[in-house]
Structures are given as structure tokens and as C-alpha cells.
Amino acid sequence: MASDITSGSKPASALDASAIAAELTSLETSPKGLTGADATSRLARYGRNAIADKTESRWKKLATYFWGPLPWMIEAAALISLIRRDWSDFFVVAGLLIYNAAVGFWQDYKASNALDALKKGLAPKARVLRDGAWTSIDAADLVPGDVVNVTAGQIVPADLLLIEGEYLTVDQSALTGESLPVSKKVGDAAYSGGIAKQGDMTGVVTKTGNNTFFGRTARLVASAGTVSHSQKAVLQIGDFLIVTAFALALVLVSVEVYRHIVVAPSWDWATVGSILQFVLILLVASIPVALPAVMSVTMAIGAYALSKQKAILSRLSAIEELAGVDVLCSDKTGTLTLNQLTVDAPIPFGAAKLEDVLVGAALATQTSSEDPIDLAVLRALKDKAALASFKETAFVPFDPVNKRTVATVVDAQGHTVQYAKGAPQVIAALANPDPGTLAKYNGTVADLASRGYRALGVGRSDDGKTWQLVGLVTMQDPPRPDAKATIAETEKLGLNVKMVTGDDVAIGDQIAKQLGMGDRLLVASDLFKDGTTTITPQIAEAVERADGFGRVFPQHKYEIVKALQSRGHIVAMTGDGVNDAPALRQADCGIAVSGATDAARSAAALILTAPGLSTIVNAIVGARQIFQRVLSYVHYRIAMTLDIMLLVVASVVFFEFQPLTAVMIVVLALLDDIPIMTIAYDNVTPAPKPERWDMHKVLVFAGLMGLLSFAESLGLLLVGLEWIGNQSLTASIPLDRDSLKTAMFLQLAVGGHLLLFVVRTRHSVFVPPYPSAPLFLAIVATQVVAILICGFGILMPALPWSAIAAVWAWCLIWMVVIDIVKLIYVRHFEDNAAQMRSLAKPIAN
């Protein structure tokens, strides 16, 4: 059975004989095909029947990971360290630079294989009429004007205009989203990449390569894609720290030049070297060399955790995109539904009973059929023994002209009976009922269509001439059992779920109502006219307000995603077919569902290995937890960088005191960032709403934490300088200017990790969720190392144990102070701002 009998999808109108002749004339061909010479010249003119792939050099792509503000900062630090022969500093910085590039290149390489997967869908061979003889050639050598033959089991090798043959049933669901095979006849188009299921027809090639329907999908995949928000965030953080570092460096240099030229002239090369050393320390302190590495490791460990929940990531940045998704575009067939037609309820007519309708439909079905409609009918008949008393003597299979199947059977009494099933209007014409019955029958069919049901008519004849209506079989592709609960759960997570289907709007409406998704589905072609390249504000607003879309083609899905993105949404798109690949690639987070094609999986950022949407809920919750961990690190890293930079500048400008040596900064970086990798295992509470990078909010909060940390460090410096100048105090705890540097080093090491405990949650540091065991133990171990370094004077002057205890007491007191300020900030600024945004947000309903 073919889908145009029962499906609501409306295929393009077939060309009549005159239009076919005109098309052949425009292609400069005839039903006799081309000559070999003509084919050769056209191959040179049109190119091969293959998808053009302009692949960027891998070396060039790798080089891009060493180009940009943050890589420049890291490279500058490595170069300066090399010139100064600070080998430990050089190898640490250079190693992190190479690691960042390697991780980014590998993820990009894995995510760029969509075109290769698409190419696998092309037919390798084609049967073509050349020089008056049928021959088999590579499908890539086909040209417009070639006449080819397509039979059951073959892949359509190019876009064709069918010009000869009875019928051809083509499965083009992966191309157009239609859930059932489509029947083709003379004058119809067949798309490259479709799979012939039944029949045998001849067609003329109208388009090849990138010009085919399949090729246009491939071009959309090639052009699709967005820069991840995590990449933008890293660049913005780098830009902020660059500007801050250079501004502070300018202040530092200006003050030093003023001192040595105006106040007390003492300008020499030693002075220049001293100033450059201060600037170097400032720049090294300002570069968050481990930022990309820590983010990558945190997301990689999170990705491994998601894989255990049947969600595999093809690129790490997809974690943050998934955490921020606020619109989920979901394909219907196979994603929201089972992709399995199911008989809903038979509707008898006349004297027929419910079981008569199903038995009649089953008798008019071959038990060996693989057609989705036939399988649904056979599954619906619970009592298979009802067929045992009938013996089939003849069977007329379905064809798109008659649009019915007819079975001749002999019952237990020896009577010969015929049963037919097919398109409702065909069975009605066969039975020719009275006007009242016909009106009721047609009204029932129309009502079923308006509610999204597929209908199949069943008729019976006792003499082979006069037919009676037995009834109607109603069918639908039912929702997945967990789909409604999953939709409700995603909405609780702040997601707006939109259905996107190739089927008719009526079918989509019916499923949407059952799932509680809303009933405002729009016809995609009414919004996006052929050739639409610009998304107008009116179109974008209509897309945003709609609950879903029907009769969707590949370019429509792609444009739907772009329209939503133009409205500021972070968009996820689920899908499984070739037709979904462009939108999956363009979406901020493309999600290939279980059983997806290679093209869909290659284009997607998240690949589900378990059926149903429930896996997406788990992935979203997991992604938001991972995002929280990354955000905690970013807050901590920016705050600590500001603390160190401000401390260095303030100490030199106001006290002519260098608080840290270059070695201390390198050791501090190692102590800070190596154990911080365990933040990937931290206990966090996922946000109830989508999370996205709000750099203004990030920088304000991190800046506040940084200023408080600077106040903590500066306070200790002032106490230390005062302590050194007081002999009675130094008698109790010996301290000089060199050991004061060690004290500042310890304060930054201790205060930094205590600050992490503060910023990792928006609640008090003393209430759950508490730090995970791996994070807590890693920080404890780090602090033990820092204490031993300071106590025994390793790489720096030794610090008295009493001073170490005093520094710890100072840091613990300040942790409580900073935690209180954080709670005040969150309560009076962040919460109020969130409420204002919620009130100001336009309602899309």
C-alpha cells in the first residue's frame, strides 16, 4: 500500500503528456536517451553526479587553534619564559597550549564528517539508455537528459522525471520526512537517494550532483553551523583579562617611569629590566593558561557520564549548548511516535460488525507483505484463527492506478467471496452505495482526516460484480509511551517543545494534542516560500509563536532553526533522517535519536542510543550540572586572576614592594589549576531553567569576588608590612620582606581554594550541596603541599609555622565575610534581576 492512499501529505502535481514533452525538449533529450558523445560533453558541462566537497586543509584548521586573543596571550607568556630561560614556566605554558589545540582539533575533526555520511546514500550504479542500448554505469557519470530505469530495491540515482511504466513506490522518508512510501506514476518526480520499494519505471534525469534535492540538503549541511557559546565565552573572558592586564601594566609602567625620571632620576638598563620584570609578572599572572584545559577536561568527564545515560556527544561544547537550550524542535515520526502504524478502531457500515471489518481487511492482505499498512492490519487482527476457514484462490496486488488490493477466497461453506481494501474513495466507487450511506461514509472519512487519522476502506462482493461497503479501518502512528511524560518534563525544565514533521498538519495536530504540545501547527511552505534566503522579523515571530510545523522539507527545518536563533533562542533539534542533517548541524545542539542515519549522527552534537525522548531529559539535567561546574571554575579563575593582578600593581605602585616572584606565580598556577580538574566530579544542583553564558552577569559576580579577594590579600599585605616595622611583633612571629612574599603566596593558595568553595554554589558554603569527595580531598592534598613548601622554604623563603597558622586563620575569617557578601548579592541583585527578566519577557502564547 502506498502513502498517497491514506496520508495527509500532498505530493506535487504530476506533469501531463504535453508538460513531459516540454521538459524533454528543454533537456534536449528524448525517451531514446543520449548518445555517448552527448553524455561526455554534458559531463564536462554539468560535472559529475556527486556532492562537491570543499574540504579545508587539516593543517590550516589546526593552525586556527593557535590564533586568537587567548592563544596569543599564552604564546606570549611561553615566548617570554623561553627568552628568560624559565624552563619550568615555559614547559607548563607550552604544554597547556598544545593540549588545548589538540582537544579542539580532535573534536572538530569528529564533528565534520556529515558530508561523507551523506555520500554513502548515493546510488553506486545506474542502468542507463545510451546509444539505444541499456547499460550499467557509475551513478556519478549520469548527466541531465539521461534516461534511466529504476526497479524495486534500487536507490534512485539522480532527480528524475518519470516518463514510462505502471508505477513505482519510493521510500523517501529520509529525504522529505514522509512517514510512508510514496507511489509514483508517469509525470511524477523521484528524488535522488530515495529507495524504490515496489514497481519498475523509467525516468529522465533532470538534476545531478549538488543540484538535486539530495544535493541541496548536503549543501545546507556544509553551510550550516554556529560558533559555540563556550568558544565565545572563552574569547570574551580572554578579551576582558587582556584589557585589564594591559591597563594595569600601563599604570605600572607609568608610575615606575615617573619615579625614575621625574621624582628621583635613576634611569639605567637595570631599572628598565626591573620594570619589565614587574610587567612580566603581571602578564603571567593575568593569563588563565589552564582555562581552556580545565573546561575541556570538565566537559570530557561530563560527556563520559552522559554516555552512561545513553547520550553520546560528538563535540564537547554541545554540553553547554544543551544546558542553555530553551527551544526543542522535535521530529515526529520515530521520535515522538513509534513509527509504527496501528489500527485505532474499525468503523462498520450496513450490517457488518467490528470483526467483519478487520477480517475483510486481513483477507485482502498478503501475509508476506512488508508494507506498513498491511503489517498494521495483520497485527490488529487478534484472532488469527478467523482466517483459517478461508482459502485464498487469487490475489490482485496494490497498484497506484487502481489504489486497492483484491483477494478472492473460498469460505468454509464453499462459497467464493471477494474482499477489497484501499483508498476510501476507491472502495466507495466500487460499492456505489445509496446517497445516504455515501454521505455518511464520506463525512466519516473527512472527519477522520481532520483529526489526523489515516483511513482504509474495506468492501465485499459475493458474485464479483456487486460490492458492499464493509467499513473503514482507522490508523495512526501512536505516540511513544513515554513521550507525553517526557514533553511535560522538558517544559518543567523551561523548554518550549515544537513538533516538526513532514506529514500533514492534521496528523501532527492529532499527535500534538495527545502529547499536550499545543495545537497551533503551521504549514511550513506557507511560511517559507521556495527560494527563501532571508528570515524576516515577521517570519521569525510566527515561527516563535507556533507550536509546530507540518509538510516540512529539509530547507524548512533548517530555516526554522535559523529563525528561532534570530530571535535569540538556543535551539535543539532532534531527528533521524538525511532530511534532518542540515537543521541538526545548524542547531546549537543537534540531537540524533536512536536508529538515526549516518548523516544525521554525523551532523548532530548529541547522539541518543536509547529510543524515546526521556534520554534527552537526563542529558539536559546532566548538561546543566556540568555547566554549573564549568561556571564555578570560571568565577573562581577570573576572581583569582584579578586578585593577583591588582595585588601586584597595588604593591609596586603604593608600597614599592614586589609581593610575588615569577617562580611563586608558576607554583601558584600549578597548585591552583591541577587539583581544580576534580571540579568535574563536584556535587551541584542543576538549574531549573536553561543556562547560558551571560558574560555581563559572569564578569560582575566574578569581579565582585575578585575585589573582595583583593581586599583580603591587600589587608594581609598591610598587616605584614606593619608587622615588619614593629620589633615587638616580629619578636613573637619573625617576619621580613622576603618571608612576607611567602606569606602572600600562601594566602593566595589558601584563599583561592576557599574562594572556590564560596563561588561553587549560590547558597551558603555551610549548607548542601557540599563539595564532592574528589574535589575536597584534592584541595586538602594541595594545601598540605603548599604548607610544606612554605614551612620548609622550598623554592621560596621559609615561613614560620606560627605565621602559617595566622595566614590560615586570616583566610578562614575572610571566607565567611565573602560568603555573607555573596548571599546579599544573590538575594538583592541576581534574584531581583531574574524576576525583572521574567516579567519583561514577551509571552509567545
Side-chain angles (χ1 to χ4, degrees):
M1 300 295 293
S3 66
D4 64 340
I5 291 179
T6 57
S7 171
S9 298
K10 294 183 179 180
S13 300
L15 301 182
D16 57 22
S18 61
I20 293 175
E23 183 69 15
L24 292 174
T25 300
S26 68
L27 291 170
E28 299 179 357
T29 188
S30 72
K32 296 181 180 180
L34 302 174
T35 64
D38 285 340
T40 301
S41 64
R42 294 189 185 196
L43 187 62
R45 189 198 319 173
Y46 295 107
R48 290 172 62 79
N49 179 32
I51 299 174
D53 182 11
K54 297 180 181 179
T55 304
E56 184 181 11
S57 166
R58 291 184 181 179
W59 293 108
K60 184 177 180 181
K61 188 172 292 185
L62 178 61
T64 60
Y65 292 98
F66 296 93
W67 188 260
L70 196 56
W72 291 339
M73 294 177 70
I74 300 175
E75 289 157 7
L79 180 61
I80 294 173
S81 301
L82 180 63
I83 293 173
R84 290 175 53 84
R85 298 186 180 182
D86 292 334
W87 300 116
S88 59
D89 194 356
F90 170 75
F91 285 118
V92 169
V93 174
L96 288 172
L97 178 68
I98 294 171
Y99 173 80
N100 294 336
V103 170
F105 177 75
W106 175 245
Q107 291 299 325
D108 183 73
Y109 173 76
K110 290 198 301 178
S112 63
N113 296 323
L115 285 178
D116 290 337
L118 281 170
K119 289 178 182 178
K120 294 179 182 178
L122 292 175
K125 291 287 184 180
R127 190 162 177 260
V128 62
L129 185 60
R130 293 266 180 93
D131 295 316
W134 290 100
T135 183
S136 180
I137 66 171
D138 289 340
D141 292 331
L142 288 176
V143 295
D146 264 329
V147 173
V148 299
N149 177 260
V150 180
T151 188
Q154 294 181 343
I155 298 175
V156 179
D159 281 5
L160 307 178
L161 172 61
L162 300 175
I163 60 174
E164 185 180 328
E166 289 298 324
Y167 73 96
L168 186 70
T169 302
V170 180
D171 180 357
Q172 55 190 37
S173 59
L175 294 168
T176 65
E178 293 164 295
S179 56
L180 292 175
V182 178
S183 293
K184 306 288 185 179
K185 58 183 182 296
V186 171
D188 281 337
Y191 298 128
S192 172
I195 302 173
K197 307 297 286 185
Q198 296 179 0
D200 184 329
M201 292 193 74
T202 298
V204 60
V205 175
T206 57
K207 292 184 175 68
T208 59
N210 274 30
N211 295 319
T212 64
F213 188 92
F214 189 95
R216 291 197 298 274
T217 300
R219 285 207 308 277
L220 288 176
V221 172
S223 64
T226 58
V227 178
S228 75
H229 294 83
S230 62
Q231 290 172 321
K232 294 177 182 177
V234 171
L235 289 174
Q236 288 175 314
I237 293 169
D239 291 343
F240 170 75
L241 295 178
I242 287 174
V243 172
T244 304
F246 276 100
L248 292 174
L250 182 61
V251 171
L252 181 65
V253 171
S254 299
V255 170
E256 287 298 291
V257 169
Y258 176 77
R259 281 175 179 164
H260 292 284
I261 293 181
V262 179
V263 177
S266 58
W267 190 262
D268 55 26
W269 286 111
T271 302
V272 173
S274 177
I275 294 174
L276 289 178
Q277 185 180 30
F278 288 149
V279 172
L280 172 63
I281 293 173
L282 177 62
L283 291 178
V284 171
S286 71
I287 301 172
V289 289
L291 175 61
V294 173
M295 291 178 69
S296 295
V297 169
T298 302
M299 289 189 289
I301 293 173
Y304 176 72
L306 287 180
S307 70
K308 292 184 177 181
Q309 300 181 37
K310 309 299 183 182
I312 299 172
L313 288 158
S314 66
R315 54 183 174 85
L316 292 181
S317 62
I319 290 174
E320 293 169 89
E321 313 305 334
L322 186 60
V325 164
D326 61 339
V327 177
L328 173 62
C329 295
S330 176
D331 192 42
K332 177 184 72 70
T333 305
T335 303
L336 297 173
T337 66
L338 292 171
N339 193 21
Q340 179 178 298
L341 279 179
T342 301
V343 171
D344 188 66
I347 301 175
F349 275 80
K353 301 177 182 179
L354 287 174
E355 59 269 24
D356 294 336
V357 181
L358 283 179
V359 169
L363 287 172
T365 301
Q366 287 183 309
T367 56
S368 61
S369 174
E370 293 296 323
D371 184 88
I373 292 178
D374 290 346
L375 291 175
V377 169
L378 293 173
R379 281 195 303 268
L381 187 64
K382 304 300 181 184
D383 184 13
K384 300 297 190 293
L387 304 180
S389 60
F390 295 89
K391 180 180 180 182
E392 182 181 296
T393 58
F395 189 86
V396 179
F398 172 87
D399 70 74
V401 177
N402 294 322
K403 296 186 177 181
R404 66 175 183 260
T405 60
V406 179
T408 303
V409 298
V410 177
D411 62 17
Q413 288 74 38
H415 299 144
T416 298
V417 185
Q418 288 185 318
Y419 286 96
K421 78 173 191 303
Q425 67 273 20
V426 170
I427 300 301
L430 196 65
N432 192 24
D434 62 81
T437 301
L438 181 61
K440 179 183 177 182
Y441 180 86
N442 289 336
T444 303
V445 171
D447 178 64
L448 290 170
S450 68
R451 293 189 287 123
Y453 284 93
R454 306 175 191 273
L456 191 68
V458 180
R460 168 184 170 134
S461 175
D462 294 321
D463 57 9
K465 298 179 181 179
T466 304
W467 289 82
Q468 302 89 38
L469 288 177
V470 177
L472 291 167
V473 176
T474 63
M475 291 175 290
Q476 66 169 333
D477 180 10
R480 288 184 176 275
D482 63 342
K484 185 172 184 178
T486 302
I487 293 296
E489 186 66 23
T490 56
E491 291 177 347
K492 289 180 182 177
L493 292 170
L495 271 73
N496 179 12
V497 184
K498 298 180 185 292
M499 180 188 296
V500 180
T501 176
D503 281 332
D504 194 74
V505 168
I507 296 174
D509 268 336
Q510 180 66 18
I511 297 298
K513 289 175 182 177
Q514 293 181 50
L515 298 180
M517 295 177 64
D519 56 1
R520 291 176 304 179
L521 269 68
L522 304 179
V523 178
S525 58
D526 291 345
L527 279 176
F528 305 105
K529 306 300 181 183
D530 291 340
T532 295
T533 56
T534 303
I535 305 295
T536 66
Q538 293 76 18
I539 291 177
E541 183 178 358
V543 170
E544 185 179 43
R545 290 180 175 275
D547 294 320
F549 308 89
R551 300 186 200 168
V552 176
F553 280 79
Q555 65 271 24
H556 296 150
K557 296 187 177 187
Y558 175 79
E559 288 159 351
I560 287 168
V561 172
K562 291 197 72 174
L564 290 168
Q565 289 172 334
S566 73
R567 298 284 290 182
H569 294 287
I570 295 182
V571 184
M573 164 72 185
T574 67
D576 59 359
V578 175
N579 64 312
D580 298 321
L584 291 176
R585 184 69 176 273
Q586 176 63 32
D588 297 284
C589 186
I591 304 172
V593 297
S594 177
T597 61
D598 288 345
R601 288 196 298 268
S602 295
L606 183 69
I607 303 164
L608 306 184
T609 59
L613 288 176
S614 59
T615 310
I616 296 179
V617 175
N618 296 332
I620 289 174
V621 171
R624 291 185 184 179
Q625 290 176 318
I626 297 165
F627 185 88
Q628 286 289 326
R629 294 171 185 137
V630 172
L631 192 61
S632 296
Y633 172 74
V634 168
H635 285 148
Y636 155 78
R637 183 68 269 165
I638 294 176
M640 283 306 300
T641 302
L642 288 175
D643 183 9
I644 296 172
M645 286 194 298
L646 291 172
L647 177 64
V648 170
V649 173
S651 299
V652 173
V653 170
F654 295 107
F655 307 108
E656 299 186 43
F657 176 73
Q658 182 182 337
L660 298 168
T661 66
V663 171
M664 287 180 179
I665 290 180
V666 173
V667 175
L668 190 62
L670 294 174
L671 291 177
D672 279 348
D673 285 328
I674 290 180
I676 211 70
M677 298 289 183
T678 56
I679 200 171
Y681 301 100
D682 193 21
N683 299 321
V684 294
T685 302
K689 297 296 179 182
E691 290 268 59
R692 64 171 70 186
W693 285 107
D694 182 342
M695 292 313 300
H696 174 75
K697 180 179 174 182
V698 168
L699 294 178
V700 168
F701 179 72
L704 175 62
M705 296 296 102
L707 289 175
L708 290 170
S709 298
F710 168 61
E712 175 185 351
S713 301
L714 184 62
L716 183 64
L717 177 63
L718 293 173
V719 170
L721 291 173
E722 183 66 25
W723 198 283
I724 293 172
N726 191 313
Q727 293 183 353
S728 61
L729 293 176
T730 54
S732 60
I733 301 179
L735 196 66
D736 56 24
R737 292 176 74 88
D738 287 335
S739 58
L740 178 57
K741 294 180 181 181
T742 305
M744 298 310 303
F745 164 83
L746 181 62
Q747 182 277 320
L748 290 170
V750 175
H753 282 162
L754 293 181
L755 176 66
L756 175 63
F757 289 152
V758 173
V759 301
R760 57 174 289 276
T761 172
R762 286 299 189 262
H763 304 292
S764 173
V765 71
F766 300 107
V767 300
Y770 297 118
S772 65
L775 177 63
F776 183 77
L777 293 176
I779 288 179
V780 168
T782 301
Q783 293 306 316
V784 170
V785 172
I787 290 173
L788 293 176
I789 289 174
C790 296
F792 291 102
I794 302 171
L795 298 175
M796 60 192 68
L799 188 65
W801 295 103
S802 55
I804 290 175
V807 169
W808 261 94
W810 178 267
C811 292
L812 288 171
I813 292 170
W814 269 93
M815 179 186 74
V816 175
V817 172
I818 295 175
D819 191 49
I820 293 172
V821 174
K822 176 199 71 176
L823 294 175
I824 294 172
Y825 170 81
V826 170
R827 184 174 298 113
H828 292 284
F829 292 95
E830 285 193 355
D831 290 349
N832 288 343
Q835 291 177 6
M836 292 299 294
R837 284 194 299 270
S838 177
L839 292 173
K841 185 177 180 180
I843 299 175
N845 295 331

